[in-house]
Amino acid sequence: SGELYCSLPNPRNVHFESINMKNILHWSAPEGTGDGVLYKVKYLVYGDSKWIRKPECRNINRTWCDLSSETSDYEEQYYASVKAFLNGRCSDWIETTRFNPLTDTKIDPPTVSVSSTEKSISVILTAPEKWKRSPEGEPVSLLQVYPGLQYNVSVLNKKTKKRWFFSVSNNTLVVPWLEPGTDYCVSAQIHITTPLLHSGFSKEYCIATLKDKTA
Amino acid sequence: SVTEVRSGFTAIKANIQGRDPIRTLSILSYPHSLHKVQSSDRCCIAHHLFNFYVDKVFKHCKTEDSYINRKVSSIANSFLSMKRKLEHCHEKNKCICRQESTEKFNQILANYEGLNVTSAAIKSLGELDILLDWMEKSP
Amino acid sequence: EDALLRAPQNISILSTNMKHFLTWSPVIVRGETVRYSVEFQGEYEREYANGSWIPICECSFITATVCNITEDVSATVAYNLRVRADVGTRRSKWGTLKGFFNPITTSLTPPLMKVIADGYHLLVELEDMGPAFQFCVLYWKKGQESRMQQKMVKEVSFVVHLDTMEAGPDYCVKARTYLEVINRSSNFSQPQCVRAQGARSVWL
């Protein structure tokens, strides 16, 4: 009967992994099943009356499925579910917790471009883009999604090993009165207060101030 | 403030949403998403929703878990102080309720009354992030 | 019939920088260990939940005469608090805090602050008092108190850059805490002054 047919152990740890609203469903294979397990995936807009099958993730043997397109409206919330099949047996449908793209996504660090003069460095910060369906698609900056987005910028003087921090609301920072002919390394982090989200710090971008011509 | 409510909610979100088995019905979102409310109706809807949560929802969210009950109390009392600030606007007529707003709120009430009291209250509590996201969205 | 156990007395609140502690005098019963339990009631419970009280389990049957109520008393509304004593099977009446407690009345202290001159750059290091706290930092050239500049600082886990300094004059800095949720500030800290040098940072 149905119970026997669906007596395969369930997929485990079914959850969304989201970065810049690229929303990938992940799971682990059922315990003790080894190779040959196939899966199918469905998802639901929370509050909608029907689950929707994801054809591209039907009878797949990988343990992830890209649902970015189906969950791109970040003003809605979602559930997704996975079922496993092996040798004529299947598991139950196993669901995620409720997924809120706006609060449950992780944010990449900003990109940082640095230029210098003799006594100053200029930093231009760019927030990452929200995931989009195709490269030709209209880019949407996370700045538009999170209007309260700010940057924390760290400036390290490589000679003195001292690090300063700046809180920047717009996307440029100029640090004047620096020592000529000195290496400075800049890295930046995104900070959002509502909802409370922050990225890691970017890698360091180092640049040297120009040498003092009069020296 | 909203920050206090959001941190209180984040602490109990998984637990409360885990108690709501109904996926195919929402109080505040799809298909009548709160985000579709026009900006001119925001103040009125927010005013109604604060009363809705204080009058109808929190009192039916008692659980067997004292940690959850304490967090619900903290959220409910934060709502009360925010409600007072909104009442201030309402009294100064800066919060006009057009027919569209009333209809929208009645839709929310209908969603709520479509369930038994406890299920409706737990589902509404589990949807607090929808309300907070909407409130924090710039108009 | 057991003698009545006296309810805890001198119940009061110590509240600083939004950290709230309930304290009371010990109930003395010779040769016995007295245990205490604490409950709270917010304005919501009074007006919408039939005056219900909520126990704080971290402060249930404790021997200490202090309870950290910060997590529970978190909204800016009026709270009631009460304590009772237990010895064996004997239980006292509730001792209740006289009057309400509203976190809006917390006392705010200026932040610990360290001002640094690094070459021509004026920097400040501030105490991390929690996510809800912001800092209003004022800085000025000594003698030009009328031309103070202000910077609101939210992130304090770093050394914060304030401004650049001209070589020669002293620059002074003072700061106060600001809590948006209660829209109140502390007093200012004592000013600290430094001077820019070619490359050396100097304390004054």
Side-chain angles (χ1 to χ4, degrees):
Chain A
S1 71
E3 284 68 29
L4 198 66
Y5 175 70
C6 278
S7 62
L8 191 66
N10 294 328
R12 294 166 296 162
N13 190 22
V14 182
H15 66 285
F16 276 98
E17 286 183 16
S18 172
I19 297 175
N20 304 335
M21 295 194 182
K22 178 182 172 72
N23 308 325
I24 312 283
L25 182 66
H26 283 263
W27 61 89
S28 309
E31 193 133 19
T33 47
D35 295 336
V37 183
L38 297 178
Y39 305 94
K40 55 183 168 180
V41 169
K42 63 181 181 181
Y43 67 93
L44 165 129
V45 178
Y46 171 59
D48 193 357
S49 56
K50 54 193 181 310
W51 288 84
I52 301 168
R53 300 292 173 100
K54 169 78 172 174
E56 297 86 346
C57 295
R58 190 168 182 283
N59 296 334
I60 55 172
N61 59 11
R62 62 175 190 271
T63 57
W64 60 268
C65 171
D66 189 340
L67 290 173
S68 303
S69 189
E70 292 76 11
T71 56
S72 61
D73 180 351
Y74 55 81
E75 289 184 342
E76 299 295 353
Q77 301 192 5
Y78 305 89
Y79 285 91
S81 192
V82 183
K83 194 184 187 83
F85 296 85
L86 179 64
N87 306 332
R89 294 191 307 154
C90 70
S91 75
D92 298 326
W93 281 104
I94 300 303
E95 287 175 6
T96 62
T97 56
R98 194 177 305 170
F99 175 64
N100 179 350
L102 197 66
T103 57
D104 300 344
T105 197
K106 290 192 174 54
I107 310 277
D108 271 338
T111 56
V112 179
S113 76
V114 192
S115 58
S116 70
T117 65
E118 207 178 288
K119 288 194 164 186
S120 73
I121 58 172
S122 300
V123 181
I124 295 174
L125 305 155
T126 311
E129 277 179 23
K130 175 182 182 292
W131 169 87
K132 56 188 181 190
R133 278 188 173 75
S134 68
E136 304 75 35
E138 179 72 18
V140 173
S141 166
L142 287 182
L143 193 54
Q144 294 163 259
V145 178
Y146 303 101
L149 185 147
Q150 295 195 326
Y151 304 95
N152 286 332
V153 181
S154 141
V155 176
L156 172 69
N157 179 325
K158 292 278 275 183
K159 189 191 294 180
T160 64
K161 299 285 189 289
K162 288 191 180 154
R163 187 183 298 276
W164 308 335
F165 285 87
F166 302 77
S167 188
V168 180
S169 301
N170 50 24
N171 68 330
T172 56
L173 168 69
V174 175
V175 185
W177 287 96
L178 298 177
E179 294 177 49
T182 304
D183 284 338
Y184 289 90
C185 292
V186 178
S187 75
Q189 167 195 48
I190 281 176
H191 179 74
I192 298 163
T193 43
T194 52
L196 194 59
L197 288 172
H198 49 75
S199 72
F201 268 92
S202 66
K203 74 181 182 72
E204 286 199 326
Y205 297 78
C206 298
I207 193 165
T209 48
L210 308 181
K211 293 218 176 341
D212 186 349
K213 300 187 187 72
T214 60
Chain B
S1 75
V2 174
T3 311
E4 263 69 43
V5 172
R6 190 166 295 263
S7 78
F9 176 74
T10 304
I12 61 172
K13 169 182 171 176
N15 182 295
I16 292 295
Q17 289 184 351
R19 294 168 189 260
D20 174 12
I22 305 167
R23 309 292 188 241
T24 53
L25 185 140
S26 163
I27 308 288
L28 299 179
S29 75
Y30 193 93
H32 309 288
S33 177
L34 204 47
H35 290 281
K36 296 188 172 72
V37 165
Q38 290 175 39
S39 54
S40 54
D41 296 324
R42 279 168 68 95
C43 184
C44 171
I45 300 277
H47 174 73
H48 276 309
L49 282 175
F50 271 89
N51 289 336
F52 166 70
Y53 270 89
V54 166
D55 295 334
K56 281 182 174 294
V57 172
F58 295 126
K59 63 180 69 173
H60 297 300
C61 291
K62 208 140 184 88
T63 71
E64 75 299 333
D65 183 327
S66 93
Y67 173 78
I68 298 290
N69 295 343
R70 289 159 70 185
K71 284 297 175 188
V72 171
S73 163
S74 160
I75 292 170
N77 279 289
S78 291
F79 251 68
L80 213 49
S81 64
M82 287 196 291
K83 177 170 146 28
R84 198 154 298 134
K85 287 173 189 148
L86 262 175
E87 265 155 14
H88 196 60
C89 297
H90 206 66
E91 279 144 22
K92 294 215 174 315
N93 235 332
K94 291 188 193 143
C95 197
I96 298 129
C97 280
R98 303 181 317 146
Q99 191 188 336
E100 287 81 350
S101 333
T102 308
E103 279 163 14
K104 174 64 194 173
F105 181 65
N106 289 338
Q107 172 63 58
I108 290 170
L109 276 186
N111 297 341
Y112 185 84
E113 274 137 21
L115 297 169
N116 74 69
V117 172
T118 306
S119 306
I122 289 290
K123 179 174 274 296
S124 303
L125 181 59
E127 294 188 6
L128 256 187
D129 56 346
I130 297 171
L131 174 60
L132 298 173
D133 292 347
W134 172 68
M135 281 170 60
E136 288 168 342
K137 192 171 89 163
S138 51
Chain C
E1 201 239 333
D2 290 343
L4 261 184
L5 193 57
R6 197 156 175 270
Q9 306 292 312
N10 305 320
I11 299 167
S12 63
I13 296 268
L14 294 174
S15 174
T16 307
N17 296 330
M18 291 300 252
K19 297 274 190 303
H20 321 303
F21 294 87
L22 186 71
T23 69
W24 57 90
S25 301
V27 174
I28 308 296
V29 179
R30 200 180 311 281
E32 297 275 3
T33 301
V34 179
R35 293 182 179 281
Y36 306 95
S37 299
V38 175
E39 293 188 347
F40 71 93
Q41 178 193 72
E43 189 174 335
Y44 177 82
E45 282 73 32
R46 270 194 310 284
E47 291 186 13
Y48 294 88
N50 313 312
S52 55
W53 290 82
I54 300 176
I56 299 178
C57 37
E58 291 84 359
C59 298
S60 290
F61 300 101
I62 58 172
T63 53
T65 57
V66 60
C67 171
N68 184 345
I69 59 174
T70 305
E71 280 297 309
D72 294 290
V73 173
S74 61
T76 51
V77 295
Y79 284 88
N80 268 326
L81 289 134
R82 67 183 187 182
V83 193
R84 77 176 161 207
D86 280 278
V87 173
T89 59
R90 290 159 60 198
R91 171 166 287 180
S92 78
K93 286 191 162 48
W94 288 103
T96 305
L97 178 70
K98 285 191 179 52
F100 295 120
F101 169 67
N102 188 327
I104 214 164
T105 62
T106 193
S107 66
L108 294 177
T109 60
L112 297 179
M113 178 182 78
K114 179 180 172 188
V115 178
I116 301 160
D118 187 350
Y120 294 104
H121 294 266
L122 179 62
L123 306 136
V124 67
E125 207 168 1
L126 290 155
E127 169 193 7
D128 189 347
M129 298 172 73
F133 285 81
Q134 299 174 52
F135 301 92
C136 168
V137 180
L138 297 183
Y139 56 95
W140 66 96
K141 253 190 248 177
K142 200 165 191 178
Q144 294 188 16
E145 277 68 8
S146 61
R147 294 178 58 200
M148 280 187 185
Q149 294 194 60
Q150 172 179 309
K151 185 168 261 193
M152 283 307 288
V153 176
K154 291 183 182 170
E155 281 284 330
V156 289
S157 22
F158 320 119
V159 171
V160 176
H161 186 281
L162 286 182
D163 213 332
T164 50
M165 300 182 280
E166 295 156 17
D170 302 341
Y171 283 77
C172 300
V173 181
K174 63 180 181 182
R176 64 178 177 183
T177 51
Y178 172 66
L179 259 169
E180 190 178 12
V181 68
I182 59 174
N183 193 24
R184 276 185 46 219
S185 296
S186 70
N187 296 329
F188 274 103
S189 60
Q190 282 304 310
Q192 292 177 31
C193 302
V194 294
R195 175 181 303 177
Q197 284 283 345
R200 269 184 319 112
S201 34
V202 172
W203 284 96
L204 269 172

